[in-house]
Amino acid sequence: VRVYVPRDSAALSVGADEVAAALAREADRPVTVVRNGSRGMLWLEPFVEVETDRGRIGYGPVTTDRVGELVAAGMLDGADHELCQGVVEELPWLRDQQRVCFARVGVTDPLSTEDYVRHGGLTGLRAALDRDPDEVVAEVTESGLRGRGGAGFPAGIKWKTVAQTPGELKFVCCNADEGDSGTFADRMLIEGDPFCLIEGMAIAAYAVGAREGYIYLRSEYPDAIATLRRAIDLAREAGWLGENILGSGLSFDLFVRVGAGAYICGEETSMLESLEGKRGMVRPKPPIPAITGLFGKPTIINNVLTLASVPAILADGAAAYQGLGVGRSRGTQVFQLAGNIARGGVFETAFGITLGELVNDYGGGTRSGRPVRATQVGGPLGAYLPVSQFELPMDYEAFTEAGAMLGHGGIVVFDDTVDMAAMARFAMEFCAEESCGKCTPCRVGSVRGVEVIDRIVAGQDAEGNLALLNDLCELMTDGSLCAMGGLTPNPVRSALLHFPEDFTAKEGS
Ligand code: SF4
């Protein structure tokens, strides 16, 4: 019997290793325990799947002390039990998704090259190698794929710039410094289907003429680092990296570099500085990295999910990807539901689904059972949105119009006990903590921002200090060198706009 127990960090943190060991020990017949990625239903982890004639049957959350009972109840035959969730592929959470990046995550053994190929892996790379590089760039452009790291810049345009910039040495860099609060999709993809990212980067390299790639991965992700390093070794052994890839003449190799925990290194130019061995400080633009990037050479910098979308685009054609989504937001986004939410996890679907559908229908509202009061979308620099905005479609332009941003697709939910003035203060505090210090509006403005909010909630000249806070936000937006200082006013202003009642003198202050 084949049994699947995730090796994903989220599953490991709730005892997946121990559950896998208990299953091997207590099974009443020989079992093959496959360590897959997580399906993304994190409230069910450790989520154990048993292969049966009806398909895979899921059980969760499974704890070690219940393994014996589950085995006795006939779990290995897919028998019913109070922890049995039914046929995995038919669970509404999975059935309603449109998985492109995450198509194989949870399905395959992430470190099996055979499994990867058996489930459609390498189809995109082979399709790319059969065409001219400029046709590959055109395909990515036509797909409408935009950068999933947050900025939403069209990937094809970036690739075209690198391809057309002359140079013997070019690089492909993957930004996996997933530092936004409430985001974990990059990690889950790397731990659940690392070959997909490797394939996407090889396609990018072929398209622009790069021979080397770097994945900048945060030190807070030790499991992802280990999985990716192992996957790269296996890909080299299989001839998917190195010289003459798949006999095509393409030479491309990949290296992992581990960051040291600075949020600003998720900003692309700081990431380049860090990759070059320097302190992570923002570089002014121009020059843009596509022309003068890593070590001064033309460089593609894309997020994990951007690059992981590429194999499917090449395999199925730009039209299939372009056919998903709304307006100028084409394809799918991997939404991450976090914070005070009943059912947290990843949910990949086409752009256009509403915020309310994600939070209430799939997320099940708050974990505390209290009413939802606010959500923060797009990381710590994203706006706070009240429930009255739940009809907002997940679409880059709709969010911009609402004074918000989609960012990397993270959604953090808060119930009605949240203090929004405290959250606004936290935004300024976070900026003060993480500022690289290069420009004054961010370095000094964020510290002043904390002080002004403290004075407002202490009831000191509220009117004057609110005006000052608005002035400060305007200055930071207009005068900061990068998005860190430039976007910090987003959470502050949205909290002021939607929850003004929280910015009054607190009792006892
Ligand atoms: Fe550095 Fe902040 Fe200025 Fe960005 S806005 S360059 S993080 S000081």
Side-chain angles (χ1 to χ4, degrees):
V1 182
R2 275 172 91 81
V3 181
Y4 296 79
V5 184
R7 51 179 297 145
D8 176 272
S9 300
L12 296 183
S13 71
V14 286
D17 274 349
E18 292 76 13
V19 168
L23 269 164
R25 196 172 54 236
E26 296 180 37
D28 54 7
R29 68 199 78 169
V31 289
T32 304
V33 180
V34 179
R35 304 303 303 272
N36 58 340
S38 169
R39 295 278 191 166
M41 300 178 286
L42 298 184
W43 71 99
L44 292 177
E45 294 293 356
F47 187 63
V48 176
E49 300 175 37
V50 180
E51 208 159 76
T52 73
D53 296 343
R54 291 181 289 144
R56 289 197 205 167
I57 309 294
Y59 298 82
V62 176
T63 44
T64 43
D65 56 336
R66 302 202 70 176
V67 168
E69 169 200 336
L70 280 160
V71 169
M75 174 207 206
L76 297 176
D77 297 310
D80 205 10
H81 183 275
E82 62 170 325
L83 295 182
C84 180
Q85 306 295 325
V87 178
V88 176
E89 300 288 344
E90 291 169 10
L91 296 177
W93 175 277
L94 282 176
R95 196 192 51 210
D96 294 354
Q97 295 189 43
Q98 289 162 302
R99 288 191 160 202
V100 175
C101 296
F102 271 63
R104 270 179 300 263
V105 176
V107 178
T108 56
D109 173 349
L111 291 176
S112 163
T113 48
E114 296 82 27
D115 227 8
Y116 184 67
V117 173
R118 206 168 26 243
H119 287 87
L122 295 190
T123 315
L125 179 57
R126 288 187 199 283
L129 295 173
D130 280 346
R131 307 161 113 185
D132 288 339
D134 55 351
E135 290 175 330
V136 176
V137 174
E139 195 78 27
V140 171
T141 307
E142 277 164 33
S143 75
L145 177 66
R146 292 165 70 173
R148 296 289 184 258
F153 189 80
I157 293 179
K158 198 182 268 187
W159 287 27
K160 192 173 179 182
T161 308
V162 178
Q164 290 181 346
T165 304
E168 280 295 297
L169 191 57
K170 297 181 184 181
F171 297 104
V172 178
C173 288
C174 171
N175 188 343
D177 192 58
E178 192 173 38
D180 282 351
S181 42
T183 61
F184 41 87
D186 293 352
R187 177 188 62 68
M188 288 187 68
L189 189 283
I190 288 172
E191 292 177 8
D193 191 14
F195 296 129
C196 181
L197 173 60
I198 293 170
E199 184 180 348
M201 291 185 74
I203 294 169
Y206 175 70
V208 304
R211 290 177 55 95
E212 261 180 41
Y214 290 88
I215 301 169
Y216 189 81
L217 191 43
R218 64 202 315 250
S219 57
E220 295 90 334
Y221 283 175
D223 297 313
I225 294 166
T227 304
L228 189 57
R229 286 198 164 132
R230 182 74 193 121
I232 289 172
D233 286 344
L234 290 168
R236 282 194 194 116
E237 282 167 30
W240 304 351
L241 286 174
E243 299 294 318
N244 195 20
I245 292 173
L246 301 175
S248 66
L250 170 67
S251 293
F252 177 64
D253 210 351
L254 258 184
F255 306 93
V256 176
R257 291 290 180 268
V258 177
Y263 180 74
I264 198 58
C265 289
E267 193 280 337
E268 60 180 6
T269 62
S270 291
M271 187 191 79
L272 293 177
E273 291 284 295
S274 182
L275 276 172
E276 291 178 9
K278 302 172 200 152
R279 176 180 164 186
M281 296 276 280
V282 174
R283 294 179 185 171
K285 287 189 274 194
I288 56 170
I291 293 170
T292 308
L294 187 63
F295 300 110
K297 304 298 177 194
T299 304
I300 286 185
I301 304 172
N302 280 137
N303 169 257
V304 174
L305 302 180
T306 317
L307 290 160
S309 300
V310 168
I313 291 169
L314 269 296
D316 303 332
Y321 195 79
Q322 225 273 340
L324 299 168
V326 289
R328 287 176 49 225
S329 303
R330 310 311 308 179
T332 62
Q333 171 69 294
V334 183
F335 299 105
Q336 299 129 83
L337 304 179
N340 187 345
I341 191 154
R343 295 192 289 270
V346 296
F347 194 95
E348 181 176 2
T349 192
F351 288 99
I353 188 170
T354 66
L355 181 56
E357 282 175 274
L358 284 168
V359 172
N360 288 329
D361 299 355
Y362 294 105
T366 63
R367 191 173 181 83
S368 62
R370 301 182 67 93
V372 176
R373 183 164 187 233
T375 56
Q376 189 179 30
V377 183
L381 312 181
Y384 286 102
L385 295 168
V387 175
S388 60
Q389 302 258 24
F390 268 22
E391 288 309 308
L392 207 55
M394 305 305 280
D395 159 21
Y396 289 112
E397 278 64 43
F399 263 64
T400 305
E401 238 169 76
M405 63 176 196
L406 271 190
H408 186 47
I411 300 169
V412 181
V413 179
F414 300 85
D415 73 11
D416 61 351
T417 60
V418 66
D419 175 348
M420 295 307 295
M423 300 315 294
R425 184 188 193 278
F426 173 72
M428 287 291 190
E429 205 185 343
F430 179 77
C431 183
E433 185 75 25
E434 296 290 348
S435 169
C436 84
K438 188 147 184 160
C439 66
T440 317
C442 168
R443 186 186 66 245
V444 179
S446 54
V447 178
R448 296 288 96 90
V450 172
E451 294 164 359
V452 175
I453 294 172
D454 280 347
R455 288 203 294 272
I456 293 168
V457 296
Q460 295 172 14
D461 182 18
E463 204 180 317
N465 277 306
L466 276 169
L468 197 58
L469 183 58
N470 273 311
D471 267 6
L472 182 62
C473 284
E474 202 175 306
L475 179 85
M476 287 176 73
T477 306
D478 295 343
S480 297
L481 184 59
C482 85
M484 174 87 224
L487 295 179
T488 290
N490 275 351
V492 178
R493 280 179 157 153
S494 58
L496 276 167
L497 176 69
H498 299 300
F499 309 95
E501 63 277 18
D502 285 16
F503 290 81
T504 50
K506 300 280 184 286
E507 226 173 280
S509 60

